[in-house]
Amino acid sequence: MELEYDIRFNIGYIKFKEKVEQVTSLKISEDLVIDMAADGSIYGIELLNLKDQLFGNRSGGLLLYNENSGNKKEVELPT
């Protein structure tokens, strides 16, 4: 899984796998689009206004948590 962030437009894309075929983009809301293959598998999720969706009114970073090891790491998004 990969999180791409475009600081200029405040857009994030969570990529689960590379697109190897045509995808259908399902607009869930004004700020959320899901890319799906014909078999229903999800390729990625586009988040418009990423910082507002992830953090709301609070500041902070993205918390990465590994359930297997219990390790946690906070990553600041660029401003």
Side-chain angles (χ1 to χ4, degrees), residues 16-76:
F16 297 107
K17 56 185 173 179
E18 294 294 326
K19 294 179 186 173
V20 294
E21 60 183 281
Q22 184 65 30
V23 299
T24 300
S25 296
L26 302 172
K27 186 174 183 178
I28 305 302
S29 71
E30 290 299 315
D31 293 334
L32 179 64
V33 178
I34 298 175
D35 291 336
M36 295 181 68
D39 67 1
S41 62
I42 297 174
Y43 280 92
I45 299 172
E46 183 177 41
L47 299 160
L48 306 174
N49 298 312
L50 176 74
K51 284 191 172 184
D52 292 340
Q53 290 198 60
L54 293 181
F55 305 116
N57 292 329
R58 69 176 178 84
S59 62
L62 184 63
L63 181 64
L64 304 175
Y65 176 64
N66 183 329
E67 289 184 359
N68 293 329
S69 68
N71 293 333
K72 295 180 181 180
K73 180 176 182 176
E74 188 169 346
V75 178
E76 281 285 323

